[in-house]
Amino acid sequence: MKVSGFVLFAILGLQAVGTMAFDGPFEDCEIYDHPRKGVCNDRGICVNDTCQCEDGFTGLSDFINTEGLDCQINELIVDCLWGFLLFAAVVGQLLSVPKFLDRYRRHKERGHPLKKNKILIAIILYETIVVPSVILAAILKLADKSQRVGVTPGITVFFFTGKFGFYLTAFFIQPALTEAMMKGSKLGKNPVIDRIIRIQYVGSFMMFVISSLLALLPFITIANGGVYDETAEIVHLAYFGGSAFSMFAYSLQCVFLIFKINGVMKPSGLAAGTPSDDKLEQTRKALVSFQKQTLIQQYINGGIFTAFAAAQYMWNRHDYYFPLSWVVFIVLGKKLADTHVGDKSSSKGTGSALKAVGSLLVSKSKGSAAATEDEPNSKTQTRRKSSFDI
């Protein structure tokens, strides 16, 4: 069933490529009918079929490079967006690094194996891959205005490493939350719970693999000279269409998990002899809320990527979306840093569970549940009155 779905998507993709085949060379700088403005986006003049843009505007753009064909990129706005991202990244590090170091120190004191502490592994990956990619990409974009994904190698490398690091970090966080919360409940050993956890791990891993492979596609256009031609259009459609497809597919997993979680944790679905109390119900609501938030995130991102793939007017607008979308990376770091972890010697019991990735685009969940990630073998689970401390 999954294979037939991918085949159908591939066929539809090839049909889409056929309908948007490259029509160059262009005459009178008319690469497409602008919905409101004339040629060169009314920010330049067309001379010998080439746009000569006003100062502060350019057609040089990510993926679909329209340099000389359009003047829609406002360089000041792009610089401000990258400057904001750089500022947020630096401030985020100043606030987060001390908490990360304290977490690592406490982990060393306990003597637990690193491989059992998935959240600490996620923090290490975040600090060694994601953060350098964000900061170096912002510096490079501010220093060299000609840097474009799929056109120049520098920013394209950071584009790949940033996406690779983010989804690898998410792979360790998302399933770890579900596992910690469900195993910390009073359900005991349950094959349905084990199945839910396995599905979460498989789904997150597939999202990581697919997103990483798609992030490699811009290197094809670089090898092709970074020009706007049939190859650039196919790469553009493959990246944005493939990303949208993977996000919508992942959203189906969220719907399935919501159904399964409700089935196994609602009072009507509990096995005979299983205690039903407020804590178990809070855990169920928190898990369902987590999946719903992830679902919303996938729908929003999937819709945006679909627009980039399908709407010709959006083809050279990625320059604005790029720095805005990477603000999510900074939010991820804050959530990792603010996650409290229980201390085995503490009388207060365990810390609150992590719900980092699923709530990146939405507000905090109102549910609450406790779980320990630094101490995977701890049997102490203490109910907390507050909501998740993320």
Side-chain angles (χ1 to χ4, degrees):
M1 190 69 176
K2 291 182 179 179
V3 174
S4 61
F6 278 105
V7 171
L8 177 61
F9 178 73
I11 293 173
L12 293 175
L14 291 175
Q15 291 178 343
V17 170
T19 60
M20 67 176 205
F22 179 73
D23 339 352
F26 303 98
E27 296 180 358
D28 299 326
C29 306
E30 294 183 353
I31 60 173
Y32 58 83
D33 294 330
H34 197 287
R36 295 185 307 276
K37 300 179 180 179
V39 296
C40 302
N41 206 55
D42 281 352
R43 295 295 184 180
I45 58 175
C46 186
V47 179
N48 297 325
D49 299 331
T50 301
C51 284
Q52 295 183 357
C53 301
E54 301 174 2
D55 289 341
F57 292 86
T58 182
L60 184 62
S61 53
D62 294 335
F63 291 97
I64 299 292
N65 181 15
T66 55
E67 184 178 21
L69 302 172
D70 196 12
C71 299
Q72 69 87 19
I73 303 293
N74 187 318
E75 294 179 321
L76 177 60
I77 294 178
V78 173
D79 286 347
C80 288
L81 292 175
W82 280 103
F84 171 76
L85 178 64
L86 179 60
F87 174 78
V90 172
V91 172
Q93 284 296 283
L94 292 176
L95 297 175
S96 301
V97 168
K99 298 178 182 179
F100 289 155
L101 293 176
D102 181 63
R103 185 187 190 107
Y104 182 75
R105 177 188 58 78
R106 287 185 281 116
H107 169 79
K108 293 289 287 184
E109 290 175 352
R110 295 188 183 107
H112 292 187
L114 180 60
K115 64 181 181 180
K116 290 186 177 182
N117 191 336
K118 297 181 181 65
I119 305 304
L120 187 56
I121 292 175
I123 290 174
I124 293 174
L125 291 171
Y126 177 81
E127 286 296 317
T128 56
I129 302 178
V130 179
V131 172
S133 297
V134 172
I135 292 178
L136 292 176
I139 293 175
L140 182 61
K141 287 285 290 186
L142 291 171
D144 184 357
K145 297 182 184 299
S146 67
Q147 291 290 324
R148 293 294 188 276
V149 176
V151 180
T152 53
I155 193 63
T156 306
V157 169
F158 293 135
F159 175 78
F160 168 74
T161 56
K163 302 277 281 188
F164 174 87
F166 174 77
Y167 282 102
L168 183 58
T169 303
F171 165 69
F172 282 96
I173 295 173
Q174 256 186 329
L177 169 66
T178 303
E179 182 176 12
M181 294 181 68
M182 298 204 78
K183 289 188 174 181
S185 65
K186 295 182 178 181
L187 293 175
K189 292 185 178 180
N190 189 310
V192 178
I193 290 180
D194 292 336
R195 193 177 305 121
I196 289 174
I197 294 171
R198 285 197 301 270
I199 291 172
Q200 184 85 76
Y201 272 105
V202 171
S204 296
F205 179 73
M206 291 302 298
M207 193 69 174
F208 157 67
V209 172
I210 293 173
S211 298
S212 298
L213 291 176
L214 290 173
L216 286 171
L217 291 177
F219 289 101
I220 296 176
T221 56
I222 289 181
N224 193 45
V227 297
Y228 178 16
D229 59 7
E230 296 94 334
T231 301
E233 288 190 350
I234 293 173
V235 168
H236 177 270
L237 176 66
Y239 173 74
F240 287 103
S243 297
F245 177 77
S246 65
M247 291 171 184
F248 288 132
Y250 194 80
S251 68
L252 294 178
Q253 175 193 286
C254 295
V255 174
F256 176 78
L257 290 177
I258 290 173
F259 174 77
K260 285 295 184 181
I261 291 169
N262 282 330
V264 74
M265 299 186 74
K266 274 189 174 181
S268 59
L270 296 178
T274 303
S276 177
D277 58 14
D278 291 341
K279 179 181 177 181
L280 186 62
E281 178 63 11
Q282 288 172 355
T283 302
R284 183 192 67 80
K285 289 181 178 179
L287 285 168
V288 170
S289 176
F290 173 75
Q291 294 298 331
K292 286 182 177 179
Q293 291 169 14
T294 306
L295 180 64
I296 293 172
Q297 179 190 359
Q298 298 306 317
Y299 276 147
I300 292 175
N301 284 332
I304 293 173
F305 276 78
T306 298
F308 275 112
Q312 193 178 26
Y313 176 67
M314 295 286 291
W315 285 3
N316 56 356
R317 264 53 176 184
H318 184 259
D319 296 77
Y320 299 112
Y321 178 73
F322 187 3
L324 285 175
S325 65
W326 275 27
V327 173
V328 173
F329 296 4
I330 310 304
V331 176
L332 172 62
K334 180 182 182 302
K335 293 180 182 295
L336 281 171
D338 292 344
T339 301
H340 294 291
V341 180
D343 190 335
K344 192 172 183 179
S345 62
S346 173
S347 60
K348 295 183 179 180
T350 60
S352 30
L354 180 68
K355 61 166 193 170
V357 180
S359 60
L360 291 181
L361 299 181
V362 290
S363 60
K364 294 181 180 180
S365 167
K366 295 182 180 180
S368 92
T372 301
E373 176 61 27
D374 271 355
E375 299 178 40
N377 297 321
S378 174
K379 297 182 180 180
T380 304
Q381 296 294 336
T382 303
R383 179 179 175 181
R384 296 183 56 114
K385 296 180 180 179
S386 61
S387 60
F388 288 115
D389 297 324
I390 299 298

